[in-house]
Structure formats: C-alpha cells, structure tokens
Amino acid sequence: MPVPSNWFESFFHGVTLDLWRKAIPPEQTTAEAEFLIDHLNCDAGARVLDVPCGNGRLSFELAQRGLRVTGVDISEEFIEEARAIQNQSGPPATPTSRDSDSSTRVEFLLRDMRYLEDQAVYDGAYCFGNSFAFLEHAEMEKFLRAIARALKPGARFIIETGMAAESVLPDFEEQSSHELGDLALTIKERYLAEESCIDSEYIFERDGQTESRLAREWIYTVAEIRRMLENAGFSILDLYGSLKCKPYKLGSQELFIVSEAR
Ligand SMILES: C[S@@+](CC[C@H](N)C(=O)[O-])C[C@H]1O[C@@H](n2cnc3c(N)ncnc32)[C@H](O)[C@@H]1O
C-alpha cells in the first residue's frame, strides 16, 4: 500500500502515542536531558527549541535545569498533554518535572516543524526521539534552514537519531514483534533501495482490537546529514554513537550530532 508523503500528519495520535510513552523509560529521558545540558552550551535562562517535542518529556527536564524551552509539535494530543502537565492537571505521564517555577519556563506550540518562522531568537535547539527521518530530502533541507534561521549565531543544534543508514541497514529486519505492557506491536518494513526509504506498517493489538498505521522514514548516511547541516548553515562540532559519547561507527544504534549555527 503506498504511504502518503504527509503520513506524519495523521500517524501521531491514539495508540502510537501510547507506544511512545511506553517505549521511553524515565531514566532515559533523564540521561538525554543531562546530555543536552552538557552539549547545548547554554546558560540558565537561555531559550531553547525542542522540535518536535512530543508530550514535552525533555522540555520539562530542561526547564527544571533552568532553561526556557519552547516545544513545537504537530500532534494535537501530545501538545494538549504537555500543556495539561504544565498546568499540573494532566495524567501522570512520563515527564517528572512539575514544580511551579519550571512550568513557567516552558511553552508548547501546535505547529508543523516544516514551517518554523522564528528569526535568531533561540540559544539552542534539538531534535530528539528518533524524529530525524520523517522528511524527504528537499523538506529536510527546508527544515534545517528554518532551524538555522531560528538560532542566534553560535547557538548549537543537536540531533539524535536511530535512523542513519549506518545504524539501520546492517541489521535491517523486514518484520519484528514487540510487547509493551498490554500492547503487542508487529512492524513490517520494506526498504525501497531506489528511494533510500523504509515503508513500514505498524500493527497494534490490544484488548482483542487490531489497528494498523503506515509510515515512511527517509534514510540518510551520516555524510549526507553532515552535508545537509553544513549547507543549511551549521558547522559540525561532534559526532557520537551513544549518550556516553562513544564514537559513532557502523552498527551504532544511535547517532548524536552536535552542530553550531554559523
Ligand atoms: C517519536 S515522537 C518523539 C517526540 C519527542 N521528540 C521525544 O523525544 O519525546 C515524534 C514526534 O514528532 C512529531 N512530528 C512528526 N512530524 C512532525 C512535523 N512535521 N512537525 C511537528 N511535529 C512533528 C510527532 O507528532 C511526534 O510527537
């Protein structure tokens, strides 16, 4: 079945959000927040862009560490959840920071990350949570140029992704199954070599109900990501293969790129 290029506009609601909430343990969010604090090079009170922010799990952690965070996401459900957590009336979701001081340092905007319009307002930005694969090449370039425009010169932009070619292709599996609490998930994937993308069908089963969603993720090599960043106005500072700053190599499960707006 063909996957529409704007699949992400309708993918992130209901069961897929449950999957994401269950997939990331709080310790991982804390470790990612520590990594961001160590590498964003921002002072307390600096303005940081979390894009896409999901339910704000990292926005809250960084706000608790003194940064002022703007989270942007296209999912109405996630933005509502983040705002509910901010107002301390929401469900006990993954973000743990609810003190009143830090909640005044976050804001959440329901927005498509392809159309960011800010100009030189942020002291740092990050794209975490394996979200750097949703856009095909031309759209990705637009997104990166928009981030570069939104940052002040010298501000850092940090990407985390598990979808770089060197991470995904060595162990590519056409089918995998996962159990997350009461949720059973089967993912069927097809690698389209001529396009360098993966078309996936996510099949969820819970309480006897089955639901299926389609996604397309674009696979870029590390060198392509570097070139796209450099063309958009960034200099590459560091590449890592883990939150502990191990070197990135073929088969590393995650890639972290720390870059700086010129
Ligand atoms: C896997 S989640 C990661 C969320 C967050 N970065 C985190 O680490 O928790 C991917 C997020 O990307 C958002 N997203 C996908 N396409 C988007 C777009 N074009 N603009 C803004 N958000 C988008 C989804 O709504 C979803 O919240």
Side-chain angles (χ1 to χ4, degrees):
M1 194 184 297
V3 182
S5 61
N6 61 345
W7 61 271
F8 46 80
E9 290 175 11
S10 52
F11 184 87
F12 292 101
H13 67 93
V15 69
T16 49
L17 304 196
D18 275 353
L19 167 67
W20 189 243
R21 290 182 196 104
K22 288 173 195 285
I24 309 288
E27 314 81 75
Q28 184 178 332
T29 296
T30 305
E32 289 178 355
E34 296 295 340
F35 178 92
L36 285 166
I37 290 291
D38 286 348
H39 292 87
L40 279 170
N41 201 28
C42 284
D43 294 329
R47 282 195 71 184
V48 171
L49 179 64
D50 179 355
V51 58
C53 65
N55 65 0
R57 67 182 182 97
L58 284 166
S59 309
F60 288 108
E61 290 283 336
L62 294 198
Q64 206 178 40
R65 288 162 177 76
L67 300 183
R68 289 185 295 147
V69 187
T70 299
V72 168
D73 204 281
I74 203 173
S75 163
E76 225 169 306
E77 241 170 281
F78 258 166
I79 289 292
E80 273 171 19
E81 180 175 322
R83 288 177 180 155
I85 292 163
Q86 183 182 14
N87 296 330
Q88 304 190 349
S89 56
T94 43
T96 51
S97 348
R98 295 181 182 206
D99 67 279
S100 53
D101 268 3
S102 68
S103 71
T104 63
R105 289 194 291 271
V106 282
E107 62 171 349
F108 295 103
L109 308 177
L110 180 62
R111 198 165 289 176
D112 190 321
M113 65 186 182
R114 289 173 297 173
Y115 309 117
L116 298 170
E117 286 175 356
D118 298 309
Q119 305 263 351
V121 292
Y122 295 105
D123 304 291
Y126 56 91
C127 178
F128 261 52
N130 214 15
S131 309
F132 192 78
F134 305 154
L135 303 177
E136 55 79 27
H137 189 253
E139 293 281 334
M140 187 64 96
E141 287 198 315
K142 262 196 265 172
F143 168 61
L144 292 177
R145 280 198 296 272
I147 297 279
R149 273 197 306 275
L151 289 173
K152 297 176 186 169
R156 292 190 179 178
F157 175 47
I158 307 182
I159 297 169
E160 176 278 335
T161 178
M163 299 305 289
E166 291 81 353
S167 297
V168 167
L169 298 183
D171 290 320
F172 184 74
E173 285 181 357
E174 292 199 331
Q175 183 159 330
S176 61
S177 296
H178 314 266
E179 297 274 338
L180 290 134
D182 60 347
L183 196 59
L185 169 65
T186 301
I187 309 176
K188 294 183 180 175
E189 300 185 289
R190 202 156 63 94
Y191 186 69
L192 306 178
E194 287 181 15
E195 301 281 344
S196 299
C197 67
I198 296 173
D199 278 359
S200 311
E201 183 182 9
Y202 288 70
I203 303 158
F204 298 95
E205 281 180 63
R206 181 158 54 187
D207 302 332
Q209 306 270 35
T210 300
E211 203 177 326
S212 154
R213 303 268 172 91
L214 299 177
R216 168 168 287 188
E217 285 164 294
W218 298 88
I219 305 303
Y220 301 104
T221 64
V222 177
E224 281 172 324
I225 299 173
R226 292 175 65 131
R227 275 195 292 276
M228 285 193 289
L229 281 164
E230 281 162 359
N231 289 340
F234 292 96
S235 302
I236 310 299
L237 300 182
D238 287 306
L239 284 187
Y240 300 116
S242 75
L243 285 170
K244 297 209 158 97
C245 302
K246 290 196 175 144
Y248 184 80
K249 55 182 195 205
L250 185 65
S252 292
Q253 293 201 333
E254 278 183 298
L255 166 68
F256 297 82
I257 300 191
V258 182
S259 64
E260 185 178 80
R262 289 195 291 270

